[in-house]
Amino acid sequence: MKQKVLVVTMTLAGAAAFLVGALGAQDKQPPTVGGPKKGISDKERAAINKITNAKTPDDKIAAVEALITNFADTSFKGAALYEAAEAADQKADAAKAISYGELSIEADPKAGTAMNAMLLVSGELAQHTRKNDLDRESPDKLPKAEKYAKQAMEMLPTLAKPEGSKISDSDWEAFKKDKMSEGHRDLGLIAAARAKWDVAATEFKAAVDGSSAPDSVMMVRLGNAYNEGSKFAEADAVLKK
């Protein structure tokens, strides 16, 4: 469900980058958003290394579970749980991706990883809820997806670049731009599930226009929304493009 366009997005959207930075910082405050203020033990460092070095999604999930089990008060709980959510997403296990994502948000709701988790959960819920689902408006479906998408988008403008990060200011702004595009994508998916095609088209267009690089998948979604809304000329133009 993730949309990763720039290298910086791939680097910063994953919690592993924050975890790696934490290990290198040792007793200094690591480059995390809302990270710890002091160093970590060798055992905790080794547990985090297992997450960042995991070769498969299953290995990553197991390493995350080991970290939060053996170090219940770890300051990297939110970031680690987001790694598990991403791993579950890679396995196309939406239920586990949502579960780990919500645990990540709960662990550190103001962190940068929480913003990523909100978009991940929002996207999973929006993608897997159909307009014919009788429970689509239940609290844990489209309303929750909409809430998380909007919360993430509210966080983005003032989200500070992680301390100690070597990412340039321009790349950081591009990262935030792509994440805002993801938020519009999720809102478009939610509107499509509600068969509100004018709203869906507006959100998908914002996602297309806001992305730092052309996104053909989003253009197809936009074209379909135009088509469903009987805006055939607009659909034809965007699909040809």
Side-chain angles (χ1 to χ4, degrees), residues 129-149:
T129 304
R130 308 301 181 192
K131 62 182 179 180
N132 294 325
D133 291 349
L134 296 179
D135 64 343
R136 66 182 182 278
E137 295 299 338
S138 66
D140 289 331
K141 291 295 185 70
L142 295 182
K144 179 178 284 187
E146 185 174 23
K147 180 189 75 171
Y148 278 147

Side-chain angles (χ1 to χ4, degrees), residues 3 5-6 153 174 177-189 199-226 234-235 237-241:
Q3 175 189 10
V5 180
L6 292 178
M153 294 168 78
K177 183 178 179 181
D178 281 335
K179 284 296 171 179
M180 188 67 76
S181 176
E182 284 189 37
H184 285 296
R185 173 206 64 192
D186 293 347
L187 292 176
L189 290 169
V199 177
T202 297
E203 294 296 346
F204 287 143
K205 188 175 188 304
V208 169
D209 293 344
S211 180
S212 61
D215 187 335
S216 59
V217 173
M218 199 54 53
M219 289 180 181
V220 171
R221 293 189 187 280
L222 174 58
N224 180 66
Y226 280 143
E234 290 90 338
V238 73
L239 291 173
K240 283 181 178 178
K241 185 176 181 179

Side-chain angles (χ1 to χ4, degrees), residues 20-39:
V20 169
L23 294 180
Q26 296 182 352
D27 290 333
K28 296 180 181 179
Q29 182 178 351
T32 66
V33 180
K37 302 294 184 181
K38 58 183 180 180

